[in-house]
Amino acid sequence: MKKPKPLPELKASEAKAEHARLGREIAEHDRRYYQDDAPVVSDAEYDRLRRRYEELERAFPDLATPDSLTRKVGAKPSDKFKKVRHKVPMLSLGNVFAEEEVGEFVARVTRFLGLAKPPDFIAEPKIDGLSCSLRYERGALVQAATRGDGYEGEDVTANIRTIGEVPQKLKGGGIPDVMEVRGEVYMTHADFAALNERQRAAGKPILANPRNGAAGALRQLDPKITAERPLHFFAYSWGEVSALPAKTQSGMLDFFRRCGLPTNKLTKVCHSIEEMLAQYRAIEAQRSSLGYDIDGVVYKVDRIDLQERLGFVSRSARWAVAHKFPAERATTVLRGIEIQVGRTGALTPVARLDPVTVGGVVVSNATLHNEDEIARKDIRIGDTVRIQRAGDVIPQVLEVLQDKRPRGAKPYEFPHVCPVCGSAALRETDEKGNEDVVRRCTGGLICEAQAVERLKHFCSRNALDIEGLGDKQIEMFFAEGLVRTAADIFTLAKRDAKSPQKLAEREGYGDTSVRNLFASIEARRHPPLNRFIYALGIRHIGETNARRLARHFGTFEALRKTAIKAATDFEARAELDAINGLGPTAIKAVVEFFAEPHNEQALDALLAEVTPQPMEAVETTSPVAGKTIVFTGSLERMTRDEIKAQAERLGAKVAGSVSGKTDLVVAGPGAGTKLNKARDLGIEVIDEDAWLKRIGAG
Ligand code: IVH
């Protein structure tokens, strides 16, 4: 980039020209970022442009006209909707791509249920829109919410009421007192094209695909605007229901239809894998003529009692799977490789591409995964590459078209130092001597890229969810030294009150936006424990592991005490080892995190500002909640996986071996050493029938 002229040397006319040029450039980057989700510049570069634009306005105040970009907030309206907690979480589906994987899914389900032959499945198109939950009470629509993070969504009742085909009152008899109908809100191709035509005519940004069109329409604060952007709905699932009106998924869909709710016609109950795959092909053959986007076929176990027995693994249903359509592909030229530094120091190469349309979306970036991938595919700058995009997945570079390689193109040399802090970037080796594929910056706490990414993670939606502290704001506050650590976020208001240079007096800010920002920070001083743990950004501690830790320890102090002790104390380490589902890599990361003195200090400072709420156990009232249980011997009424999942749902911990910590052993015929050990230790032993009685299922 050309070095800009120092401000004092600029003539007013030059400043005006540069300001206008920058304004166009920034608006284009905003469009790519917010509408296409495909930025072409790094965040740092974007910020440089933005800062220069603002400096020009400060030096030449005439440029700060009412339509200046400094008067607009970049992000779309979002924080203004009321939050709705889902009584029954809105979870997701696992994906499969190959036909063999469908067979594996069916086998898994059959095995889990201990059946001799597979149960019936229903095949339904997977609609590419946004899922929504519509709550009907005594037949009347009372609330509609988006999925959000699956546990908490946004109240979009007023907007859903503008969708003509969603009944305000359900028809027919036998309607449960409470019924949450779940399904997909989507936009048709025709409506999407018309919307984009209006956008174009009004000089407004063009939307990338119907899904973005539907999302934008649904999240309008003014329902009048939603009404101008016609949306549709298909019902395919449910949340809280006071009395289920059917015993099968297909029966529920029939019931929805009788109530006047729109359901998709392409559903079919299948009695074999062959029938499932035939329905997949039949749906795929109609894909391009449906008039709306679908991105695969969902297979669900038809019987609801079996669905309930199967339950969920982590956040996905065990009783359903999405069979996705193959990804779409295109070729383009790779112009450069940018190295991004993530929260954990991982150096990730990103391909900068000549923009190309793949499956209706303009793509100008693609992931190159890591150093070995680039070497394996021998990707060089200037190469023509084939790229692929599948649904929400980040576009990938598949291969290089060798015959199109420009003469003189050199093999790519992956940097061995961090592009941000200059520290050495190394590849770790594990105990077995295997080299990690990821090269990491060793700068740790001194690497600003990592610090900024950690802050972004801390504030992000599934972590503390601090509204008004988006990525751009964090980068700005960080660059200015206003917020360097998570604790700084919570002292911002206090410091601002004392500062001669108030935030509210800045360009682009105002009293209201600063007041809102401070209010949303205040609102997060008592975060749920699992979110708080997740927000810390400990390696290998994603949302699921954070939830496991929170459930096990109940309070942050308890976790911290045990994790610190676990570095040297065998018992404490054994307690971590016994947490169901938490693997050795995650445990090691937790212990290392708490053993790091800088983290200790940062935590003390943070806990002086923030008090995580203690977490309740999964089900505190069940007679086995909090108990450590071992299952041994063979079972007659359920499979091993099923009984384990059942125990976990009731808040119990399932262990693989008997120890002093075991509270209960459930033993079936053929139980051996574990049973003997339990007897030696004086642990209570019961059989399968007694287990079912104890949990109230016998
Ligand atoms: S069932 C527990 N059925 O796919 C599973 N989902 O990855 C509940 N979707 O968030 C969802 N068509 O937005 C189901 N026929 C269908 C669907 C469908 C689209 C979406 C939905 C969900 C996502 C799951």
Side-chain angles (χ1 to χ4, degrees):
M1 200 174 78
K2 213 173 78 203
K3 224 178 151 49
K5 218 170 178 182
L7 290 170
E9 289 173 37
L10 271 186
K11 288 201 221 87
S13 60
E14 290 176 302
K16 190 170 174 201
E18 191 186 347
H19 181 264
R21 184 176 55 72
L22 278 175
R24 282 193 301 274
E25 211 172 319
I26 293 169
E28 174 62 12
H29 291 318
D30 282 347
R31 189 189 67 72
R32 286 178 184 275
Y33 185 89
Y34 291 110
Q35 262 79 46
D36 302 352
D37 264 348
V40 285
V41 288
S42 69
D43 290 351
E45 249 172 277
Y46 175 89
D47 282 354
R48 234 186 340 261
L49 297 175
R50 194 99 207 183
R51 265 201 301 278
R52 174 74 178 175
Y53 186 83
E54 287 164 16
E55 281 167 9
L56 285 168
E57 287 193 3
R58 269 196 291 276
F60 298 88
D62 285 353
L63 297 176
T65 55
D67 60 358
S68 158
L69 292 173
T70 55
R71 306 279 157 120
K72 295 190 196 134
V73 199
K76 286 190 232 160
S78 73
D79 352 328
K80 314 292 184 320
F81 293 99
K82 223 174 63 199
K83 298 260 170 147
V84 177
R85 197 140 257 288
H86 299 301
K87 290 239 172 59
V88 178
M90 291 181 78
L91 300 169
S92 63
L93 299 168
N95 290 331
V96 297
F97 288 89
E99 296 197 344
E100 301 84 74
E101 292 174 289
V102 177
E104 287 160 17
F105 161 71
V106 172
R108 223 168 27 244
V109 165
T110 314
R111 200 177 332 114
F112 186 98
L113 294 169
L115 299 176
K117 71 178 221 352
D120 286 349
F121 286 87
I122 182 167
E124 304 176 0
K126 185 168 191 295
I127 318 295
D128 196 7
L130 292 110
S131 50
C132 254
S133 189
L134 317 181
R135 188 176 173 90
Y136 286 89
E137 288 179 7
R138 269 171 248 111
L141 177 65
V142 295
Q143 188 176 56
T146 60
R147 175 170 185 269
D149 63 3
Y151 298 94
E152 194 176 71
E154 288 176 329
D155 186 330
V156 288
T157 316
N159 293 348
I160 288 289
R161 288 195 199 282
T162 69
I163 306 181
E165 64 195 27
V166 168
Q168 304 294 318
K169 261 198 121 19
L170 299 177
K171 293 193 302 202
I175 293 168
D177 274 356
V178 174
M179 180 162 76
E180 284 179 3
V181 178
R182 292 182 174 171
E184 205 82 352
V185 171
Y186 65 98
M187 191 177 264
T188 64
H189 291 157
D191 288 335
F192 174 67
L195 169 62
N196 256 350
E197 184 47 41
R198 289 200 302 274
Q199 293 281 110
R200 199 190 54 75
K204 292 194 185 142
I206 301 298
L207 304 163
N209 53 38
R211 186 172 191 274
N212 284 5
L218 195 59
R219 303 183 82 243
Q220 284 298 327
L221 291 172
D222 181 357
K224 279 208 250 24
I225 303 183
T226 312
E228 288 164 9
R229 301 178 177 186
L231 293 174
H232 296 266
F233 182 77
F234 279 130
Y236 53 63
S237 176
W238 58 93
E240 191 190 355
V241 179
S242 48
L244 271 186
K247 289 192 160 56
T248 56
Q249 168 77 18
S250 45
M252 285 299 285
L253 293 179
D254 289 341
F255 180 76
F256 286 159
R257 208 167 298 138
R258 285 201 298 278
C259 291
L261 287 156
T263 53
N264 197 289
K265 288 197 187 60
L266 297 173
T267 59
K268 184 171 188 273
V269 177
C270 305
H271 309 288
S272 65
I273 297 179
E274 292 68 39
E275 276 185 41
M276 290 160 79
L277 295 176
Q279 181 64 4
Y280 173 85
R281 288 183 210 114
I283 293 177
E284 192 182 17
Q286 296 180 59
R287 185 181 186 189
S288 57
S289 56
L290 289 176
Y292 51 86
D293 276 350
I294 61 172
D295 57 349
V297 171
V298 185
Y299 307 117
K300 303 174 179 174
V301 171
D302 198 34
R303 266 173 55 182
I304 297 169
D305 60 332
L306 299 184
Q307 290 185 1
E308 283 168 357
R309 278 176 59 190
L310 285 152
F312 292 83
V313 219
S314 190
R315 300 177 60 139
S316 306
R318 215 187 254 115
W319 45 268
V321 79
H323 187 181
K324 301 292 280 279
F325 293 136
E328 293 172 89
R329 296 176 178 188
T331 56
T332 184
V333 177
L334 183 142
R335 294 289 171 199
I337 294 177
E338 189 186 296
I339 306 290
Q340 293 181 342
V341 185
R343 174 165 62 83
T344 59
L347 266 46
T348 309
V350 177
R352 299 290 178 217
L353 308 165
D354 278 351
V356 61
T357 307
V358 198
V361 175
V362 179
V363 168
S364 42
N365 301 314
T367 176
L368 293 169
H369 301 290
N370 54 52
E371 186 172 354
D372 291 353
E373 258 317 272
I374 299 181
R376 194 170 64 74
K377 294 180 180 157
D378 187 20
I379 295 167
R380 305 182 185 191
I381 293 168
D383 271 343
T384 296
V385 290
R386 191 188 307 284
I387 60 167
Q388 125 168 337
R389 179 185 157 267
D392 286 343
V393 183
I394 308 168
Q396 298 170 307
V397 172
L398 288 177
E399 59 175 349
V400 170
L401 305 183
Q402 292 288 348
D403 52 338
K404 298 229 168 110
R405 171 164 286 165
R407 226 176 302 141
K410 291 193 193 57
Y412 180 71
E413 278 184 42
F414 203 91
H416 287 203
V417 292
C418 169
V420 175
C421 74
S423 303
L426 305 176
R427 293 174 64 162
E428 293 166 10
T429 323
D430 68 11
E431 312 88 72
K432 293 190 201 109
N434 299 320
E435 202 181 32
D436 190 352
V437 291
V438 178
R439 191 173 281 281
R440 269 175 222 282
C441 161
T442 53
L445 295 161
I446 69 139
C447 178
E448 300 210 336
Q450 293 182 50
V452 172
E453 294 306 315
R454 274 199 296 273
L455 283 170
K456 287 184 191 168
H457 172 79
F458 185 83
C459 299
S460 65
R461 198 171 159 132
N462 295 342
L464 255 65
D465 190 20
I466 302 183
E467 291 165 10
L469 261 189
D471 290 359
K472 295 268 158 345
Q473 284 79 2
I474 292 171
E475 283 170 17
M476 188 175 86
F477 287 161
F478 187 90
E480 294 178 16
L482 273 177
V483 174
R484 290 264 160 182
T485 65
D488 290 348
I489 294 169
F490 294 92
T491 58
L492 192 60
K494 240 189 321 194
R495 284 181 286 131
D496 193 59
K498 291 201 203 116
S499 159
Q501 272 194 306
K502 303 246 180 298
L503 269 179
E505 282 152 25
R506 290 187 180 212
E507 298 285 345
Y509 271 85
D511 281 342
T512 326
S513 61
V514 171
R515 216 176 313 119
N516 287 345
L517 170 65
F518 290 164
S520 54
I521 293 173
E522 279 315 304
R524 294 295 183 261
R525 280 196 193 263
H526 304 277
L529 181 59
N530 57 313
R531 279 181 176 260
F532 181 77
I533 296 171
Y534 171 67
L536 296 178
I538 304 170
R539 265 180 83 185
H540 308 292
I541 304 298
E543 286 175 80
T544 306
N545 278 340
R547 201 172 280 277
R548 286 183 177 127
L549 288 167
R551 268 195 199 135
H552 178 86
F553 288 103
T555 64
F556 190 71
E557 292 69 40
L559 161 65
R560 192 177 185 185
K561 217 168 103 200
T562 306
I564 292 172
K565 263 173 102 186
T568 50
D569 174 298
F570 181 75
E571 283 239 350
R573 174 69 198 221
E575 177 171 356
L576 286 172
D577 287 339
I579 299 177
N580 223 312
L582 200 67
T585 324
I587 294 173
K588 184 163 170 268
V590 170
V591 175
E592 280 171 5
F593 178 88
F594 284 96
E596 161 63 50
H598 285 103
N599 288 340
E600 283 288 273
Q601 274 171 21
L603 273 179
D604 286 338
L606 181 57
L607 290 167
E609 302 295 332
V610 175
T611 317
Q613 291 165 21
M615 174 114 177
E616 287 172 35
V618 197
E619 211 199 294
T620 43
T621 51
S622 108
V624 294
K627 297 251 175 357
T628 301
I629 302 179
V630 174
F631 293 101
T632 179
S634 57
L635 299 164
E636 277 150 13
R637 312 264 292 260
M638 273 179 278
T639 64
R640 183 66 67 89
D641 282 344
E642 188 177 0
I643 204 165
K644 268 191 182 169
Q646 184 183 51
E648 279 167 13
R649 262 201 307 275
L650 294 168
K653 281 173 266 170
V654 178
S657 60
V658 176
S659 74
K661 290 228 159 70
T662 311
D663 296 302
L664 179 68
V665 171
V666 180
T673 44
K674 287 183 195 171
L675 178 58
N676 294 338
K677 186 156 181 205
R679 291 206 174 116
D680 289 348
L681 292 170
I683 294 165
E684 184 185 8
V685 178
I686 57 174
D687 67 10
E688 194 181 350
D689 285 341
W691 161 258
L692 289 171
K693 265 206 209 86
R694 178 155 313 184
I695 61 164

